[in-house]
Each structure stands twice: as C-alpha cells, then as structure tokens.
C-alpha cells in the first residue's frame, strides 16, 4: 500500500538534483495519513480523486510518475484521466515498479484473503506478514548480508502491522485494476522495473504490461529486471533502481 517511506532512497536522490522537485505522500490509511474506520474512505474513487488532486496541485513543466505495485495501476489510471481531459496537464512519463498488471489473473489468492471477516484477519496478522515478506523480499535480502539489507529487515520488523486490518480489508475489497485500454490510453513513455524473484507481482506480469503498451508502436516502452531483488526492489537495490531511472529520464524526448 502507499507508504512513501518505501521510496526514501529515491526521494533523497532526486530531491537533491538541480531542476527536480519530488512530490510524495502517504496514501489514506498508510504511513502518517489518517486511518478512519469508514469503509468508503478507502474506495477506489476516493484514492483516485486524491491522486488527481495531488497531481493538479503540484504538476510542473514536466511530470514523471514513479509508482510501485498497485500504485502502478493507479498511475496508469491517472495518466489516462489526464489524457482524456481537454487542456489538462499531461503525464509526461511513468516509471512502473513491480507493476500490478495482469487482468487475467485477478482476483489473486493473496487479495481474496481479505474477503474473510475482520476479526479473523486480525487474528492471522502474523501469518499474513510472514507470507508477504517471503514473497516480497529476495532471499539475498532476508539473509542480511549487507548493512543496507540489515537496516531494511529491521525496518520491516518494526513496521509489522503498521497498516491496520480494517484499512487493508476495505482497500483490497474495493481496488480497481487498470486494464489494457487504460494502459494504452496515455502516450507517455514507460519504464517497467521488476525484481527477478518477485512472487507478489511476477516478472510475467511486467512482460504482459509491456506487450500491452507496445501495441502503440510509436510509444517509448522499456523494461528492466533487477537481479537479487523481489517485490521491494527500490529498497533492496536502491542505487541500481536510481541508476535505471536516471538513464530512462536522460533518454526521454525533449519536452514540447
């Protein structure tokens, strides 16, 4: 879910570069944002409205979206919305990390678990946490062989249960995934990054998205698989992810 702390390395890097401004936020129910009990607070329409308003308020001369997991689906929906509105500021490029795109496979089992009653979900939180970590983190990361990975694992343990189950259940029960039509609605260049060991949004899903977007033959679409990472690649190999984003940005067409 949408916790900006996951991007701390990328935020630090790009906010220190001349000519760049970074806008990041905790989505409702995540990180430091409010976590009310109302189910409708976490509806897809509310999340998309928040994203559209943040973009409207902070968009500049050139606007690049960087999103992760289900956030990539929301980013594509934002880009499609902007492209459909006459005179709206466009999304100029997207970096989609571990993209949640595979319409044929949804709803996947890991999401269907949130159909269970809230009381049961609260009981099995430790099992859900263990399951997610085993699928979202590469074995190399879990082994804690580097200082970076030791700090990451310490943070993962400290953040356990940070998103209450009422938030998770309401969010996953109402999320709406981008389909092929939405993915193709914007002409913005796309960089897809995926972790080689990702078991949350597997590499095949990234490939499916790239194939879908490449149906627009005039659109710039690139994909990179990052070794020794899983779903949290921007945390597991932050420098490599930054390198790939910088390279992509350097090859973007000049703004009109």
């Amino acid at each position: 879910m949408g916790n900006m702390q996951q991007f701390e390395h990328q935020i630090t890097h790009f906010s220190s570069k001349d000519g760049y401004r970074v806008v990041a936020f905790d989505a409702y129910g995540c990180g430091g944002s409010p976590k009310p009990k109302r189910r409708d607070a976490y509806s897809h329409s509310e999340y998309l409205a928040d994203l559209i308003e943040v973009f409207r308020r902070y968009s500049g001369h050139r606007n690049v979206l960087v999103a992760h997991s289900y956030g990539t689906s929301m980013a594509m929906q934002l880009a499609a919305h902007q492209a459909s509105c006459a005179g709206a500021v466009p999304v100029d490029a997207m970096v989609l990390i571990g993209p949640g795109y595979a319409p044929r496979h949804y709803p996947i089992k890991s999401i269907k678990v949130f159909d269970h009653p809230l009381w049961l979900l609260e009981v099995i939180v430790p099992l859900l946490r263990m399951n997610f970590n085993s699928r979202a983190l590469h074995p190399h990361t879990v082994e804690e062989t580097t200082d970076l990975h030791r700090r990451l694992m310490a943070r993962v343990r400290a953040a356990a249960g940070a998103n209450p189950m009422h938030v998770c259940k309401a969010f996953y029960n109402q999320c709406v995934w981008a389909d092929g039509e939405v993915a193709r609605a914007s002409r913005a260049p796309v960089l897809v990054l995926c972790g080689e060991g990702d078991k949350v949004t597997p590499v095949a899903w990234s490939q499916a998205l790239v194939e879908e977007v490449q149906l627009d033959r005039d659109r710039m679409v690139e994909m990179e698989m990052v070794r020794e990472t899983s779903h949290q690649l921007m945390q597991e190999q932050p420098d490599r992810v930054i390198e790939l984003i910088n390279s992509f940005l350097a090859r973007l067409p000049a703004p009109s």
Side-chain angles (χ1 to χ4, degrees):
M1 298 176 68
N3 190 329
M4 65 180 174
Q5 189 181 65
Q6 298 178 97
F7 288 98
E8 61 176 333
H9 298 282
Q10 292 75 32
I11 291 171
T12 299
H13 172 81
F14 286 103
S15 62
S16 67
K17 293 186 67 172
D18 289 342
Y20 284 73
R21 179 176 66 161
V22 175
V23 178
F25 68 101
D26 289 328
Y28 216 52
C30 303
S33 290
K35 302 173 179 63
K37 295 287 188 179
R38 296 188 345 267
R39 183 178 186 275
D40 62 353
Y42 309 102
S43 68
H44 171 262
S45 60
E46 290 289 341
Y47 274 105
L48 185 57
D50 287 347
L51 191 55
I52 291 171
E53 176 58 23
V54 170
F55 187 82
R56 185 200 66 77
R57 186 174 300 185
Y58 295 104
S59 57
H61 178 60
R62 184 185 236 184
N63 303 286
V64 179
L65 301 182
V66 180
H68 174 243
S69 195
Y70 178 72
T72 64
S73 192
M74 296 296 293
M76 288 186 281
Q77 291 175 66
L78 171 62
H81 174 272
Q82 296 301 113
S84 70
C85 297
V89 176
V91 170
D92 295 297
M94 291 185 282
V95 178
L96 307 178
I97 303 175
Y101 177 83
R104 294 183 302 277
H105 301 292
Y106 288 119
I108 57 177
K109 291 180 181 179
S110 60
I111 293 177
K112 285 180 69 65
V113 70
F114 293 102
D115 291 342
H116 290 302
L118 181 59
W119 68 265
L120 178 57
L121 293 174
E122 291 174 339
V123 169
I124 64 173
V125 163
L127 294 177
L128 295 174
R129 182 171 67 245
M130 289 174 55
N131 178 264
F132 179 79
N133 289 344
S134 68
R135 297 165 66 234
L137 299 171
H138 193 275
H140 183 72
T141 302
V142 178
E143 290 171 2
E144 301 186 38
T145 55
T146 68
D147 287 340
L148 172 68
H149 291 159
R150 280 189 284 274
R151 289 195 297 271
L152 174 55
M153 291 306 299
R155 176 164 293 170
V156 167
R157 288 188 287 268
N163 290 330
M165 279 299 104
H166 76 271
V167 174
C168 297
K169 179 176 175 61
F171 172 81
Y172 286 114
N173 284 171
Q174 301 178 87
C175 57
V176 176
W177 305 91
D179 58 16
E181 182 177 354
V182 169
R184 297 189 306 272
S186 167
R187 301 291 300 277
V190 174
L191 171 64
V192 174
L193 300 179
C194 57
E196 66 169 349
D198 195 339
K199 297 178 182 177
V200 177
T201 55
V203 174
W205 295 9
S206 292
Q207 293 169 333
L209 173 60
V210 169
E211 291 170 4
E212 190 72 53
V213 178
Q214 283 179 333
L215 292 175
D216 182 350
R217 297 184 181 276
D218 296 328
R219 191 171 177 184
M220 178 181 174
V221 185
E222 300 179 2
M223 174 177 163
E224 292 283 349
M225 184 175 68
V226 181
R227 293 178 58 82
E228 296 187 343
T229 66
S230 184
H231 193 55
Q232 300 299 120
L233 56 158
M234 68 286 190
Q235 294 178 288
E236 295 178 289
Q237 295 285 351
D239 291 341
R240 178 59 176 153
V241 169
I242 288 170
E243 177 186 7
L244 290 169
I245 295 175
N246 272 322
S247 177
F248 172 68
L249 295 178
R251 295 192 304 278
L252 289 178
S256 57

